[in-house]
Amino acid sequence: MDFDLNDDQKMLAKTVADFGKKESTVERFRKVRDAEGPGWEKAVWQKMGELGWLSVPFPEEVGGFGGSFVEVGLILEQLGKTLVPEPYLASVVLGGYPILLGGTAEQQQRFLAPMIEGKTSLALAHREPARRFAPGAVAATATKDGEGWVLEGTKAWVPNGHAADQIVVAAKAEDGLGLFVVDGDAVERETLGCIDGHRAAHVKLDGVKVEADRRLAAKPAEEVLVQVLDHGAAGCVAEGFGLAQSMLWMTLDYLKTREQFGVKIGSFQALQHRSVDMFVEVELLKSVFTEAIARVDQGDLEARRAVSAAKLQLAQGGQFVSRQAIQLHGGIGVTDEADIGLFFKRMHSLVTLCGDEAFHVRRFAEEMDAA
Amino acid sequence: MDLSFSAEELAFRDEVRAWIADAMPPHIKKKADDAGHFEMPEVMEWHKVLYEKGWVAPHWPKEHGGPGFTATERFLFSEELELAGAPILSPFGLVMVGPLIQRFGTEEQKKRFLPKILSGEEVWCQGYSEPNAGSDLASLRTMAIDEGDHFVVTGQKTWTTYAQYADWIFCLVRTSTEGKKQAGISFLLIPLDTPGVEVKPMLTLGHTPAFCDTYFENAKVPKENLLGPLNGGWNLAKALLGHERTLVAAVGHCRRNVRLAKRIAAHQLGADGKPLLEDPYWRERIARLEMRLRAHQMTNYRALAEQQKGKHPGPESSILKLVGSELVQQTDELCMELMGPDSLNWFNGEGAVAPFEQWVGPMFCYDRATTIYAGSNEIQKNIIAKLILGLPKK
Ligand SMILES: Cc1cc2nc3c(=O)[nH]c(=O)nc-3n(C[C@H](O)[C@H](O)[C@H](O)COP(=O)(O)OP(=O)(O)OC[C@H]3O[C@@H](n4cnc5c(N)ncnc54)[C@H](O)[C@@H]3O)c2cc1C
Ligand SMILES: Cc1cc2nc3c(=O)[nH]c(=O)nc-3n(C[C@H](O)[C@H](O)[C@H](O)COP(=O)(O)OP(=O)(O)OC[C@H]3O[C@@H](n4cnc5c(N)ncnc54)[C@H](O)[C@@H]3O)c2cc1C
């Protein structure tokens, strides 16, 4: 077993970390959150393209780097540390992976190449209103219309759905579930504010016509979707691991500076033990993060188990950290002004997206060995 | 021991229920049905409806305008309000400073303040915490200098809940720097329109402007606004903290949250297309909290029954604060989990989620405060360890 990153991976993580420290601090996130607009900046996205970050998991033929999800996870971890608002998870992972895993070479060239350069962004419209996470829970329909398809249905809370140039839509066709790459401007979309200060969209498909060559059919859509959602879940864990580290550091800093009763509050044993508990959860999170990003590309039972165990730890350990971080900040932790709350809210989204605790525990239990 | 209700008690409950159904203004009823968030003006509107009926202060003695309910009638009354989803009244006058004025005030103070607390004509807020005096409240530094017939107050209070809607603030101020910190504190009642007083609202984690910074710069406060003895404010503060903690037992809040959880679970569908409320996993998750809530509720009844016998709340009220605040958070968390992806909703107006789901996110965020305010849970545990369990100091 080797847990070490290679030199290229270390370099990549460091470059992204430096970017967070110098160019995309939490202050920047706050500004973008409070401004009108999509909640992220095109210029920064383009820069990420130029730096090669958007190319990481995609094949070299379409301008990609030909890497694995390990690199994707490392980037997301670092982006999480300062709440970088660009839609890396939504566009590279959720929007990009269906095309990577289910698209032909031509489709990859057509839809991934511009995103890799930072010229466009993508999204995945899978989930429907008041419906939960199961990949197959899709009521939207795709009806044959000459050579192409007509889509009907509604998709809820599509991350980056409000801004994406192309949206991958899951819909039921007569021959089974299908994934269709739909032009963002061809659908009706309502931009919604999210708890974490990001935006998302409800997407209405009201007889949207899609040409035949926009269906991703290189592999069965169900299989692809399960893979995509697992990569998404691993991505949530990666970003969440970044958040958790920041929250732990911020809290420790606070305990070392805030004074009450004439002493640093960090000298109270109750708070020391709580900090230790937080630290332990962050360490466990690091372990499951490592396993999840290392295994998810395998796409097998062990990969699913690793991802689900990681998502559970994010829900339990990650949220323990975010809740206690607020608690140990006292009153200031419950203001909008304090950064710690921004992390708390983003953590909730990451716990919720791509399968919550209930979903992953149930799946793990269903596939569990008898002995 | 008999925990069942008598025929008279049940008749009382029916009377209350019918009255609420009739008296609640339609726009409040609509919000109540949707588990909405009540703004202060709506809270005060409801306050006045209850006042007209004589039911606004069930815990006040008759001589000061209370309705003279028995302990059981009070339980039933609060349960009915809760079931109806009625706005929770501002506690600062009715639950905090009111009873304190009854206990420590002069006759003039009782006449001056109590009727307007009761009628809702004057709204109060609480000025204890300062930027550097939170858990260590006794280290507060807002100074009140004695200038003969008045005090001159200078300093800053913070986290003052809904000060922007208040007419009066009750403050702990420093009137002496001699001796122990606790021995130099006085309890002062200050009108917020006093020149030199400024209130600046700020946003909470739940994106509501629920608390404020309150600044005092050479604010002149007449001597007759001193409650209790000069330099005797700490005892009043401790007496009040006891009341505050029975309040933050938050039984009503928890029960509403459990009901809300069920409503959400009936609305949200699982992967099989059936409501989550039919799924044993989610039923058990809700049941566990409802079961713990029963234990909490009985503990609260026990404490209220003691209080009814004339005992002032003691350190036991810390238990109510601990359990209640955590249950509020756990039920909020469960509501969020039940909403699934819909829990991402953040102030999108109608249609994005079901009407009764609109406020779940902001509530989930704001309620992180329940384990912090009214004496943080860590402080409560220190109190229980020291005063109830008799554990030695380090
Ligand atoms: C099954 C078993 C095997 C053991 N094997 C070994 C061995 O191989 N070699 C060896 O050297 N020892 C061994 N020990 C002894 C063990 O290290 C001691 O029991 C342990 O250090 C606690 O000391 P104590 O029993 O004197 O309890 P105490 O130190 O008196 O502690 C009593 C309680 O107070 C708590 N406590 C004490 N100090 C603090 C503090 N500062 N802050 C917060 N809480 C505190 C403790 O956690 C404990 O709950 C073993 C013990 C057990 C039970
Ligand atoms: C929403 C909200 C509304 C409020 N409304 C009001 C109001 O209307 N009026 C008012 O006066 N105040 C109000 N408060 C203030 C509240 O009472 C204080 O926030 C609280 O007393 C904690 O003080 P602090 O924020 O300074 O935190 P600190 O005291 O700095 O505490 C920081 C952390 O250290 C812990 N800690 C501190 N001391 C110890 C110790 N000895 N042992 C172990 N742990 C310790 C705390 O538990 C906390 O986790 C409100 C607060 C909130 C969040």
Side-chain angles (χ1 to χ4, degrees):
Chain A
M1 257 192 175
D2 177 9
F3 284 96
D4 293 334
L5 300 177
N6 66 34
D7 287 344
D8 288 344
Q9 291 168 335
K10 278 186 203 152
M11 246 319 257
L12 176 66
K14 187 173 175 321
T15 319
V16 184
D18 285 346
F19 164 81
K21 277 184 212 140
K22 293 187 192 125
E23 290 173 54
S24 189
T25 58
V26 179
E27 210 182 311
R28 174 179 169 250
F29 166 70
R30 191 183 281 282
K31 260 198 212 132
V32 174
R33 176 194 80 157
D34 293 340
E36 298 276 322
W40 56 274
E41 291 176 300
K42 280 222 160 94
V44 176
W45 187 245
Q46 210 142 33
K47 185 165 178 199
M48 289 181 167
E50 283 156 23
L51 289 166
W53 299 350
L54 311 181
S55 76
V56 160
F58 304 117
E60 285 167 25
E61 295 78 62
V62 300
F65 172 78
S68 70
F69 198 80
V70 172
E71 286 82 16
V72 174
L74 292 174
I75 291 174
L76 276 167
E77 176 201 349
Q78 299 305 331
L79 296 178
K81 284 184 180 170
T82 57
L83 301 175
V84 177
E86 276 61 36
Y88 197 93
L89 180 63
S91 181
V92 174
V93 182
L94 292 173
Y97 269 73
I99 300 167
L100 172 68
L101 300 176
T104 60
E106 277 144 38
Q107 288 171 323
Q108 292 181 2
Q109 179 63 40
R110 180 174 172 195
F111 299 118
L112 290 177
M115 199 264 295
I116 287 170
E117 290 177 44
K119 289 193 182 127
T120 61
S121 71
L122 307 173
L124 172 68
H126 157 243
R127 237 198 32 84
E128 302 185 352
R131 277 300 189 98
R132 296 181 86 81
F133 307 96
V138 169
T141 56
T143 318
K144 198 86 186 137
D145 173 43
E147 287 300 294
W149 302 87
V150 176
L151 304 187
E152 296 279 348
T154 309
K155 300 290 177 177
W157 303 108
V158 178
N160 199 43
H162 61 298
D165 300 277
Q166 302 290 335
I167 303 176
V168 180
V169 173
K172 282 232 155 80
E174 60 207 6
D175 56 350
L177 192 67
L179 291 168
F180 302 85
V181 186
V182 180
D183 199 299
D185 291 331
V187 301
E188 212 182 295
R189 41 188 172 180
E190 182 195 354
T191 302
L192 298 170
C194 299
I195 186 169
D196 55 9
H198 289 232
R199 279 67 153 167
H202 280 189
V203 171
K204 245 201 166 146
L205 306 155
D206 198 0
V208 175
K209 286 194 183 350
V210 186
E211 297 118 51
D213 60 0
R214 282 175 166 266
R215 182 168 183 183
L216 303 172
K219 261 199 231 151
E222 280 99 2
E223 258 173 60
V224 171
L225 208 45
V226 171
Q227 292 299 322
V228 168
L229 291 176
D230 270 353
H231 282 82
C236 289
V237 172
E239 192 181 330
F241 172 48
L243 301 182
Q245 291 173 72
S246 291
M247 282 191 276
L248 177 61
W249 296 329
M250 289 163 78
T251 305
L252 293 177
D253 273 350
Y254 194 70
L255 294 182
K256 289 172 196 170
T257 40
R258 170 73 172 166
E259 289 187 14
Q260 287 288 275
F261 303 100
V263 295
K264 305 274 188 255
I265 58 173
S267 67
F268 299 127
Q269 199 176 41
L271 303 193
Q272 291 179 349
H273 285 191
R274 197 81 52 80
S275 313
V276 172
D277 291 340
M278 291 167 74
F279 169 70
V280 169
E281 294 307 328
V282 172
E283 283 300 310
L284 290 181
L285 197 49
K286 180 171 187 170
S287 306
V288 294
F289 152 77
T290 307
E291 195 191 4
I293 64 170
R295 280 205 207 278
V296 64
D297 284 340
Q298 285 167 220
D300 59 4
L301 176 61
E302 273 310 296
R304 286 198 297 282
R305 285 174 169 165
V307 166
S308 287
K311 203 71 194 333
L312 174 66
Q313 174 58 16
L314 187 71
Q316 296 270 322
Q319 288 196 111
F320 177 80
V321 171
S322 67
R323 288 164 187 166
Q324 293 306 327
I326 301 272
Q327 180 68 19
L328 299 195
H329 275 76
I332 199 114
V334 195
T335 59
D336 181 66
E337 216 170 285
D339 288 344
I340 198 75
L342 304 174
F343 286 84
F344 170 86
K345 290 173 173 173
R346 180 66 182 159
M347 183 63 89
H348 172 77
S349 300
L350 294 172
V351 163
T352 304
L353 290 169
C354 299
D356 63 351
E357 177 179 330
F359 171 81
H360 283 284
V361 170
R362 190 166 277 187
R363 184 175 79 170
F364 192 99
E366 279 165 5
E367 296 185 335
M368 196 161 59
D369 295 328
Chain B
M1 197 186 302
D2 181 4
L3 297 183
S4 57
F5 297 121
S6 68
E8 295 82 58
E9 285 164 349
L10 291 175
F12 170 80
R13 186 183 68 188
D14 293 342
E15 181 197 342
V16 171
R17 187 171 295 179
W19 178 80
I20 294 173
D22 190 47
M24 193 182 277
H27 62 282
I28 292 186
K29 175 136 187 12
K30 181 172 183 327
K31 262 198 182 174
D33 288 345
D34 290 345
H37 170 79
F38 292 104
E39 300 294 340
M40 260 304 259
E42 291 161 325
V43 172
M44 291 317 297
E45 188 185 343
W46 178 238
H47 178 119
K48 284 171 187 151
V49 174
L50 284 164
Y51 169 70
E52 295 296 329
K53 175 74 180 168
W55 284 353
V56 79
H59 52 294
W60 283 23
K62 258 192 137 145
E63 53 166 319
H64 295 305
F69 289 167
T70 65
T72 310
E73 283 169 344
R74 275 174 58 192
F75 306 156
L76 293 172
F77 182 67
S78 63
E79 274 188 17
E80 288 306 313
L81 287 175
E82 215 180 86
L83 272 173
I88 293 171
L89 299 185
S90 167
F92 301 110
L94 288 172
V95 186
M96 297 188 186
V97 79
L100 219 55
I101 292 172
Q102 290 162 25
R103 196 164 150 198
F104 296 97
T106 62
E107 282 313 309
E108 289 76 54
Q109 286 172 331
K110 290 180 195 170
K111 271 200 223 109
R112 163 67 188 81
F113 293 113
L114 295 179
K116 290 186 174 169
I117 291 175
L118 213 55
S119 68
E121 201 177 326
E122 287 175 350
V123 178
W124 285 79
C125 65
Q126 176 182 31
Y128 278 20
S129 306
E130 299 180 4
N132 290 307
S135 297
D136 183 13
L137 186 57
S139 69
L140 60 93
R141 285 197 290 237
T142 296
M143 290 293 296
I145 312 257
D146 191 335
E147 303 231 325
D149 64 342
H150 64 270
F151 294 104
V152 172
V153 180
T154 300
Q156 184 195 345
K157 295 293 176 184
T158 192
W159 322 129
T160 346
T161 296
Y162 285 132
Q164 69 270 47
Y165 294 106
D167 306 293
W168 284 78
I169 183 167
F170 57 91
C171 280
L172 291 176
V173 293
R174 184 152 300 286
T175 38
S176 164
T177 48
E178 319 251 297
K180 269 185 75 184
K181 286 187 293 186
Q182 286 83 350
I185 293 171
S186 299
F187 201 104
L188 209 51
L189 314 177
I190 306 177
L192 281 168
D193 61 5
T194 307
V197 181
E198 200 191 344
V199 168
K200 280 197 185 147
M202 55 183 149
L203 284 181
T204 67
L205 199 58
H207 215 75
T208 48
F211 51 30
C212 305
D213 277 321
T214 307
Y215 300 90
F216 301 86
E217 210 185 311
N218 296 320
K220 268 172 83 173
V221 182
K223 276 274 172 70
E224 68 248 31
N225 290 9
L226 178 72
L227 186 66
L230 186 70
N231 296 324
W234 192 249
N235 270 341
L236 273 72
K238 280 202 295 192
L240 193 154
L241 282 173
H243 290 286
E244 198 184 6
R245 278 170 205 146
T246 26
L247 175 80
V248 291
V251 172
H253 190 163
C254 295
R255 285 170 48 112
R256 277 172 209 229
N257 274 5
V258 168
R259 281 197 294 137
L260 183 56
K262 291 175 186 170
R263 211 163 157 193
I264 295 168
H267 166 72
Q268 294 281 344
L269 306 180
D272 56 4
K274 288 192 194 141
L276 298 185
L277 199 55
E278 292 175 19
D279 179 334
Y281 172 82
W282 291 108
R283 288 187 77 85
E284 276 180 32
R285 291 281 308 274
I286 300 171
R288 280 176 185 279
L289 289 179
E290 185 167 334
M291 289 156 89
R292 187 163 171 85
L293 176 54
R294 284 182 79 95
H296 178 54
Q297 193 172 353
M298 268 304 146
T299 312
N300 191 43
Y301 283 173
R302 279 172 52 212
L304 287 177
E306 288 294 302
Q307 231 176 307
Q308 190 79 12
K309 285 190 226 149
K311 264 185 69 179
H312 288 291
E316 294 81 4
S317 57
S318 287
I319 300 169
L320 296 172
K321 159 74 200 321
L322 276 182
V323 179
S325 59
E326 284 174 7
L327 264 174
V328 166
Q329 294 179 346
Q330 288 160 358
T331 46
D332 284 342
E333 286 156 18
L334 182 60
C335 286
M336 290 292 272
E337 267 193 84
L338 285 163
M339 280 176 68
D342 284 348
S343 69
L344 298 183
N345 182 55
W346 194 250
F347 295 97
N348 287 305
E350 282 178 23
V353 293
F356 51 87
E357 292 176 329
Q358 297 264 11
W359 278 95
V360 175
M363 186 175 78
F364 160 78
C365 290
Y366 176 79
D367 285 343
R368 297 321 301 178
T370 60
T371 48
I372 294 169
Y373 60 50
S376 77
N377 284 23
E378 287 76 16
I379 294 300
Q380 306 298 341
K381 287 181 186 174
N382 289 348
I383 293 172
I384 294 176
K386 198 167 118 193
L387 297 182
I388 304 184
L389 305 183
L391 292 168
K393 274 192 137 180
K394 204 156 95 175

